[in-house]
């Protein structure tokens, strides 16, 4: 059995190295950006050296992603001495020029454009050569090639090691949970990808990709299918090129987090051609992405939106989770399927708009499953209670809608639910997640004209029931005004009100207070405008 790398240990090592920036007194976001770029240069250099060893010769300079003069192993042993050899006054001037040149890098390498995107608009903030020397020395001591080569996942793929270690690092960098909303535990990602089972030729979308966990995992998952396919090397290369260039689409709104996702994809062998720094909730995005995708995998932000975004959505409510779920329902093409993490309040909250959204999910789509995740699964970033909803867009007006919903209550994900998320005895099976995947009731049957149907693996529904899983009919769900929480239909315990932990209730009160404050400000503006109109000439 594959041993999962110790990402906490790796993250601790990265954190220790990042502390060399303290003398330069940089803001957390500046430290994160600059450290990420230097770490990227180190990682890419090790991967390129491994490739050169296998090939027996280096590529010509104009075919390399990073030009020879800026390869990490060339300048890192003695940054100041190397800088003077190249005609610079010292390592600060050299690094500043290196960043500027990489922002304009022209090369025949297929990802040269992405290097330009990484280094563009970066103002090199370091002032002290001692910082550069310390950073280069500490990174040189790390054998990152061994870490990057370790396989992860049930099929042994190497995926998202960069992103998983960065989660730990970002937790340490972030102040006041500054980066909290951009990460999904990678064992949760893996479970969701296995359930939706993306296939060769399907277009996969994440409208709020963060550091790229879902899109990276989907890339590796489909790439493994291509590598196993009985086909000529030319055909496999064509399929891989199409996967990279056409079939992976992801959007991230925050520029710094977008760059982390971009680095992640480059280090995985690309797939970043359709990775965009944009806003999935803009009016333009609703048209651009409408009805386009076979598979959607996402963990969108939760909580009140920062600005009004109502004109382009059928149900107007200023909550990210409500707007994103509508965006994704509209972005699926007929026969497309989605697995999406939602804040559980969306599934039972009495707000009229939220009930209408759940009604649409049940009545206009085929809602297949709700997978309840334990409180604390997103610690230390968030204490929000969440569930995964799995649904399919019907192929047409005569196709099936929701008839029954499978509920699964995940009691353990193999980690404790405190801030450290330490492994538990059931860590190797990711707690209940392996059982969940093995018990998943449906096969995705691909249709000749595109799209899929969800076909039960067996007619006997009891085969998919357990202490943690059960069914509810659409009639039962209608009777509860489309309450979609797993506990509402659990047959193993008396019907009772589910009381949430105090921290969840406090978070909800804080969100409500923010909504009320925002509404009062809008009301004040309206009243002030009315008074101005009455007293005007």
């Amino acid at each position: 059995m594959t041993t999962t790398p110790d990402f906490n240990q790796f993250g601790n090592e990265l954190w220790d190295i990042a502390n060399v920036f303290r003398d330069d007194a940089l803001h957390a976001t500046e430290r994160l950006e600059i450290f990420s770029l230097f770490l990227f240069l180190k990682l890419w250099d090790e991967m390129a050296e491994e490739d050169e060893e296998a090939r027996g010769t280096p590529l010509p300079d104009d075919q390399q992603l990073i030009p020879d003069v800026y390869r990490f192993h060339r300048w890192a042993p003695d940054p100041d001495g190397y800088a003077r050899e190249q005609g610079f006054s010292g390592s600060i001037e050299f690094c500043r020029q290196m960043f500027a040149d990489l922002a304009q890098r022209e090369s025949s390498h297929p990802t040269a454009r992405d290097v330009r995107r990484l280094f563009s608009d970066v103002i090199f903030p370091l002032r002290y050569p001692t910082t550069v020397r310390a950073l280069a020395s500490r990174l040189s001591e790390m054998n990152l090639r061994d870490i990057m080569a370790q396989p992860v996942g049930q099929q042994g793929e190497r995926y998202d090691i960069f992103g998983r270690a960065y989660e730990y690092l970002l937790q340490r960098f972030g102040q006041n949970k500054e980066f909290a909303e951009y990460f999904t535990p990678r064992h949760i990602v893996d479970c969701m990808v296995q359930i939706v089972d993306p296939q060769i030729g399907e277009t996969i979308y994440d409208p709020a990709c963060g550091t790229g966990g879902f899109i990276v995992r989907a890339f590796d998952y489909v790439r493994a299918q291509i590598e196993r396919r009985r086909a000529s090397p030319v055909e496999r290369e064509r399929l891989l090129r199409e996967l990279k260039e056409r079939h992976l689409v992801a959007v991230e709104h925050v520029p710094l987090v977008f760059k982390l996702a971009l680095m992640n994809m480059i280090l995985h062998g690309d797939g970043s051609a359709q990775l965009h720094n944009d806003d999935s909730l803009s009016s333009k995005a609703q048209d651009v992405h409408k009805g386009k995708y076979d598979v959607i995998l996402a963990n969108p932000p939760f909580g009140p939106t920062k600005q009004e975004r109502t004109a382009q959505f059928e149900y107007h409510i200023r909550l990210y989770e409500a707007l994103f779920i509508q965006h994704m329902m509209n972005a699926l093409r007929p026969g497309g399927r989605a697995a999406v993490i939602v804040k559980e309040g969306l599934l039972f909250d009495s707000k009229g708009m939220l009930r209408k959204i759940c009604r649409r999910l049940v009545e206009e789509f085929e809602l297949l499953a709700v997978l309840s995740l334990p409180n604390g699964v997103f610690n230390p970033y968030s204490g929000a209670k969440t569930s995964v909803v799995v649904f399919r867009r019907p192929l047409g007006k005569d196709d099936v809608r929701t008839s029954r919903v499978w509920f699964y209550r995940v009691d353990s994900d193999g980690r404790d639910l405190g801030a450290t998320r330490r492994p538990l005895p059931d860590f190797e099976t990711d707690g209940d997640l392996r059982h969940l995947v093995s018990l998943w009731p449906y096969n995705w049957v691909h249709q000749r004209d595109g799209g899929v149907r969800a076909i039960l693996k067996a007619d006997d529904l009891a085969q998919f029931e357990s202490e943690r899983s059960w069914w509810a009919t659409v009639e039962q769900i209608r009777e509860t005004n489309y309450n979609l929480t797993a506990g509402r239909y659990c047959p193993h315990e008396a019907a009772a009100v589910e009381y949430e932990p105090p921290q969840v209730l406090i978070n909800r009160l804080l969100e409500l207070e923010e909504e009320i404050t925002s509404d009062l400000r809008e009301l004040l503006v309206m009243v002030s405008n009315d008074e101005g109109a009455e007293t005007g000439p």
Side-chain angles (χ1 to χ4, degrees), residues 404 440-443 455-464 471:
R404 66 181 68 83
W440 176 248
Y442 293 99
N443 286 318
I455 305 300
L456 281 167
K457 294 177 181 177
D459 293 333
D460 181 8
L461 298 182
Q463 291 188 25
F464 310 108
W471 297 92

Side-chain angles (χ1 to χ4, degrees), residues 111-125:
T111 53
R113 167 179 171 265
D114 288 335
V115 167
R116 293 195 297 272
R117 291 205 285 174
L118 279 180
F119 287 88
S120 64
D121 303 320
V122 177
I123 299 174
F124 190 77

Side-chain angles (χ1 to χ4, degrees), residues 14 17 21 31-39 135 169:
L14 294 179
I17 296 172
F21 291 128
R31 284 190 289 160
L32 176 58
E33 180 172 43
I34 295 302
F35 180 70
S36 300
L37 292 170
F38 275 109
L39 178 62
L135 179 62
L169 185 63

Side-chain angles (χ1 to χ4, degrees), residues 154-167:
Q154 292 187 3
Q155 297 177 325
E157 301 94 335
R158 175 180 63 79
Y159 79 96
D160 204 15
I161 291 180
F162 182 81
R164 292 182 70 175
Y166 251 89
E167 289 189 18

Side-chain angles (χ1 to χ4, degrees), residues 244-527:
K244 292 179 177 182
E245 296 176 359
R246 294 173 46 197
H247 294 151
L248 301 168
V249 182
V251 178
E252 174 50 51
H253 193 204
V254 178
L256 174 56
V257 180
F258 162 76
K259 287 191 175 185
L260 295 177
L262 192 56
M263 292 182 212
N264 213 353
M265 293 303 295
I266 294 171
L267 292 170
H268 274 78
D270 199 20
S272 57
Q274 299 298 324
L275 182 61
H276 304 290
N277 183 197
D278 211 341
D279 180 4
S280 298
L281 298 182
S282 69
S283 296
K284 177 183 176 183
Q286 306 322 300
D287 294 328
V288 168
H289 298 286
K290 186 174 183 179
K292 289 183 64 172
Y293 303 110
D294 300 291
V295 173
I296 295 178
L297 289 153
N299 177 18
F302 310 142
T305 61
K306 302 294 190 296
Q307 55 185 295
E308 191 71 27
R309 299 169 179 270
T310 58
Q312 63 268 32
F313 294 98
E314 182 175 358
Y315 300 117
H316 301 172
I317 185 168
R318 293 179 61 175
L319 290 173
Y320 278 117
E321 56 266 36
L323 300 182
F324 267 106
I325 193 71
Q326 291 182 81
H327 170 72
M328 289 183 279
M329 285 192 282
N330 294 334
L332 281 177
R333 64 169 42 131
R337 60 201 184 279
V340 180
I341 296 174
V342 298
K343 191 174 181 180
E344 195 151 284
L346 173 69
L347 304 181
F348 70 83
D349 196 300
S350 61
K351 290 186 179 72
M353 291 300 178
L354 297 184
R355 304 283 28 90
K356 289 178 180 178
I357 291 170
C358 289
R359 183 185 188 281
R360 184 183 177 214
L361 191 59
V362 170
E363 301 293 356
E364 297 183 27
F365 288 75
E366 186 180 16
L367 177 62
L368 296 162
V370 176
L371 317 174
S372 175
L373 300 178
N375 277 315
V377 76
F378 287 101
N379 279 334
Y381 311 117
S382 170
K385 179 74 172 72
T386 57
S387 290
V388 179
V389 293
V390 184
F391 58 96
R392 184 187 74 100
R393 183 173 182 174
L395 286 160
K397 64 180 182 179
D398 297 326
D399 196 4
V400 297
R401 283 8 181 214
T402 306
S403 61
R404 66 181 68 83
V405 177
W406 188 64
F407 291 92
Y408 191 105
R409 184 187 63 220
V410 178
D411 293 324
S412 169
D413 69 338
R415 289 103 176 133
D416 72 32
L417 299 175
T420 58
R421 302 288 278 129
R422 295 185 183 281
L424 295 174
D426 57 356
F427 177 76
E428 290 297 334
T429 63
D430 291 322
D432 301 329
L433 296 183
R434 184 175 295 180
H435 178 254
L436 187 161
V437 172
S438 68
L439 204 62
W440 176 248
Y442 293 99
N443 286 318
W444 303 110
V445 178
H446 292 259
Q447 305 301 292
R448 181 175 300 177
D449 296 330
V452 299
R453 294 184 188 274
I455 305 300
L456 281 167
K457 294 177 181 177
D459 293 333
D460 181 8
L461 298 182
Q463 291 188 25
F464 310 108
E465 295 175 348
S466 69
E467 290 184 357
R468 292 187 292 275
S469 58
W470 49 87
W471 297 92
T473 65
V474 69
E475 290 78 16
Q476 290 175 293
I477 291 170
R478 287 169 182 154
E479 288 173 1
T480 65
N481 194 22
Y482 302 95
N483 184 318
L484 298 176
T485 54
R488 183 66 180 79
Y489 306 98
C490 179
H492 308 307
E493 54 194 43
V497 177
E498 291 187 26
Y499 294 99
E500 295 182 291
Q503 62 267 32
V504 175
L505 296 173
I506 292 170
N507 282 332
R508 185 170 299 151
L509 287 172
L510 289 172
E511 291 171 3
L512 182 60
E513 182 180 14
E514 188 174 335
E515 288 183 55
I516 292 171
T517 302
S518 176
D519 291 341
L520 286 173
R521 287 198 182 103
E522 292 180 10
L523 183 60
L524 180 61
V525 171
M526 292 171 59
V527 171

Side-chain angles (χ1 to χ4, degrees), residues 161-178:
I161 291 180
F162 182 81
R164 292 182 70 175
Y166 251 89
E167 289 189 18
Y168 181 87
L169 185 63
L170 288 167
Q171 172 201 340
R172 300 291 297 273
F173 264 124
Q175 300 298 316
N176 299 320
K177 299 186 179 180
E178 187 170 358

